[in-house]
Amino acid sequence: MSDPFVEVITESDLQRRVSQLGAEIADDYQTTVPVVVGVLKGSIPFLADLVRAIDSTLQVDFLSLTRFGEEGRVSIAMDVSVPLRGRDVIIVEDIVDTGLTLTALHRMLMLREPNSLQTVTLLDKAPRRIVDIDLAYRGFEIGDEFLLGYGLDWGGHYRNLRSLWAVMDLGAFADDPHRFTEVVHPSAGGAFLRR
Ligand code: 5GP
């Protein structure tokens, strides 16, 4: 039987790629102080590593979104703490899937008249894209598998994993998430908060 969980991007591969992205961004924003805006909560590990790989002056901020239904309608639940007018803004996403969330966020932030608005995403699930969007920086292009770790969650769990894992059978996983907990936290007693 094939493995139900596969480590698809290791910690060292993540760190290597994030360092490259940071160097690229530092190069592109030499003459300005960008606002790096993390979309909570999935972007946290990526953003924390990314900003430390950008060897130039920047500001860090966060926002969080509420999603409604399947059509990609979103509203800002928690807003950034600085005005974005005239600023060079970099949105930090963990993953872009259909692209609906990012499209809606982009539209909302453009109303604030930033000088520029770009996106860096760690993961680009390009085969699932519904709307065309411009990603200035992306870490890895991936397929259709469901991933966990390094910010990506299931019911709030597993964001703290240092690497990225693919769940091969989502149905079986949802029935018994304990099996994954035992794989990734073998010495932790398998504690899991039931939903
Ligand atoms: P979309 O681009 O479809 O509007 O939505 C992106 C959101 O879908 C992400 O922020 C994330 O919450 C969720 N998502 C998409 N693919 C995955 C995945 O493979 N794993 C996890 N944990 N969440 C995903």
Side-chain angles (χ1 to χ4, degrees), residues 116-131:
S116 67
L117 181 61
Q118 300 290 357
T119 299
V120 51
T121 184
L122 176 69
L123 302 166
D124 178 9
K125 235 182 207 185
R128 285 188 30 98
R129 193 75 84 257
I130 293 177
V131 280

Side-chain angles (χ1 to χ4, degrees), residues 82-173:
V82 293
L84 299 182
R85 186 148 199 264
R87 299 296 305 272
D88 294 302
V89 179
I90 305 173
I91 302 170
V92 181
E93 277 279 18
D94 50 356
I95 188 165
V96 178
D97 184 10
T98 62
L100 291 169
T101 307
L102 186 59
T103 301
L105 176 60
H106 202 275
R107 202 172 292 139
M108 289 189 287
L109 296 188
M110 281 308 286
L111 295 174
R112 302 182 187 186
E113 303 179 348
N115 182 52
S116 67
L117 181 61
Q118 300 290 357
T119 299
V120 51
T121 184
L122 176 69
L123 302 166
D124 178 9
K125 235 182 207 185
R128 285 188 30 98
R129 193 75 84 257
I130 293 177
V131 280
D132 207 20
I133 40 168
D134 177 38
L135 298 173
Y137 311 93
R138 64 178 176 174
F140 300 89
E141 184 174 329
I142 54 165
D144 196 5
E145 56 277 340
F146 187 76
L147 301 184
L148 291 172
Y150 200 65
L152 293 175
D153 76 314
W154 189 82
H157 299 81
Y158 309 120
R159 294 193 200 274
N160 55 322
L161 302 181
R162 291 166 172 271
S163 58
L164 274 155
W165 292 73
V167 177
M168 306 318 279
D169 181 343
L170 204 49
F173 164 72

